[in-house]
Amino acid sequence: MFIYAANWKMNMSFDKAIGFCGENYEDFVAISGLKDKKIVLFPEFTQIKSIHDIFKDTKISIGAQDCSVNEPGAFTGQVSVESLAQIGCIYCIIGHSEVREYIRETPEELAVKILRLSDSKITPIFCVGEFLQDFLGKKYDIVIREQLEAVFELIAGYCDIDFYIAYEPVYSIGTGMMPEICHVEEVFDLILQVACKFKLDNKIKLMYGGSVDEKNVQNFKKIKNLSGFLIGSASLDFKKFKKIVEL
Ligand code: 13P
């Protein structure tokens, strides 16, 4: 199954998101029925339950853009994994570079999030990726290895669920600046190698995210070991998103 994850970030207000799903409902249902393709929508927290209900009789799945690291308790402003599971989330993005930038999650927190999600049968999509200066300075392998090892060593042997690693080079997010396919494949090999060291290689699948659109998707589908795309901007324009899924 190849996954098309539409990360809407905070781009759509509640009314806009509900309208977007209603206006494109028939086409959403049609593309979600395509063989071996899986569509997952990641709206804002406030929209998850309503969008889940709109698509409850279809093959479209709903995910969250983040979750709290804590168990239910006195944590003002946070959203628990428990609630996400109850309102129909079956995927959750963690470690997105935009979240890392604002709340500076530690590897320990990311590991706890993965384990909590695993306990609630929610599939984590764990994002990693280097900054432009790491890429230009040829330090990307060190950076990505560190991002993975620090989390993998805490979850190895404890994580019951299969999950995704999404490689999202930070300089490629929302910029139109795409890495070469050979670079993505090199990073994928590195991810698999690190996962193998922690005996997690049979638990993970690989995704790519960063400026994926209807023009470059065919080229990017050539990436070896690719199981899905994490799509930001292009997922906000239904025509573009549909084309990405169909191509
Ligand atoms: P863009 O597709 O807008 O580059 O965003 C990618 C992303 O951050 C998906 O999580």
Side-chain angles (χ1 to χ4, degrees), residues 121-140:
K121 309 274 176 285
I122 296 178
T123 301
I125 298 180
F126 171 31
C127 302
V128 297
E130 78 276 23
F131 285 94
L132 186 59
Q133 64 266 31
D134 305 318
F135 174 70
L136 296 174
K138 301 209 184 320
K139 292 208 189 95
Y140 54 89

Side-chain angles (χ1 to χ4, degrees), residues 7 9 93 96 98 127 168 172-175 209-212 230-234:
N7 180 7
K9 309 188 180 183
I93 298 171
H96 192 284
E98 287 155 11
C127 302
E168 294 207 312
S172 191
I173 297 177
T175 61
S211 294
V212 174
L230 196 45
I231 307 154
S233 326

Side-chain angles (χ1 to χ4, degrees), residues 221-238:
K221 274 203 102 173
K222 292 182 199 148
I223 297 168
K224 203 162 50 107
N225 293 320
L226 181 73
S227 293
F229 289 122
L230 196 45
I231 307 154
S233 326
S235 70
L236 302 169
D237 177 328
F238 187 75

Side-chain angles (χ1 to χ4, degrees), residues 8 11 18 40 57 59 90 100 130 141 150 160 187 203 205 211 219 222 224 229-230 232:
W8 292 348
N11 284 297
I18 302 300
V40 189
D57 298 323
K59 290 183 176 160
I90 54 170
R100 287 187 197 247
E130 78 276 23
D141 50 342
D160 293 327
V187 171
K203 285 201 132 353
K205 290 207 179 83
S211 294
N219 192 33
K222 292 182 199 148
K224 203 162 50 107
F229 289 122
L230 196 45

Side-chain angles (χ1 to χ4, degrees), residues 74-88:
F75 300 101
T76 303
Q78 298 194 15
V79 176
S80 70
V81 169
E82 197 178 21
S83 291
L84 291 175
Q86 288 170 3
I87 60 173

Side-chain angles (χ1 to χ4, degrees), residues 56-73:
K56 69 175 182 310
D57 298 323
T58 75
K59 290 183 176 160
I60 292 184
S61 298
I62 311 297
Q65 298 173 17
D66 192 18
C67 61
S68 173
V69 67
N70 297 298
E71 276 188 50

Side-chain angles (χ1 to χ4, degrees), residues 26-128:
E26 301 296 336
D27 281 332
F28 261 126
V29 173
I31 56 174
S32 70
L34 294 172
K35 193 166 172 281
D36 297 331
K37 297 187 179 191
K38 169 105 210 132
I39 293 176
V40 189
L41 306 178
F42 293 82
E44 276 182 22
F45 287 129
T46 53
Q47 304 160 6
I48 290 173
K49 173 81 171 86
S50 306
I51 293 179
H52 170 264
D53 290 351
I54 291 174
F55 290 116
K56 69 175 182 310
D57 298 323
T58 75
K59 290 183 176 160
I60 292 184
S61 298
I62 311 297
Q65 298 173 17
D66 192 18
C67 61
S68 173
V69 67
N70 297 298
E71 276 188 50
F75 300 101
T76 303
Q78 298 194 15
V79 176
S80 70
V81 169
E82 197 178 21
S83 291
L84 291 175
Q86 288 170 3
I87 60 173
C89 262
I90 54 170
Y91 292 86
C92 184
I93 298 171
I94 60 158
H96 192 284
S97 58
E98 287 155 11
V99 179
R100 287 187 197 247
E101 189 182 339
Y102 304 128
I103 69 168
R104 307 220 175 273
E105 294 157 301
T106 62
E108 290 74 19
E109 287 169 333
L110 288 166
V112 173
K113 286 185 181 184
I114 292 179
L115 297 177
R116 282 204 199 294
L117 291 166
S118 162
D119 287 347
S120 291
K121 309 274 176 285
I122 296 178
T123 301
I125 298 180
F126 171 31
C127 302
V128 297

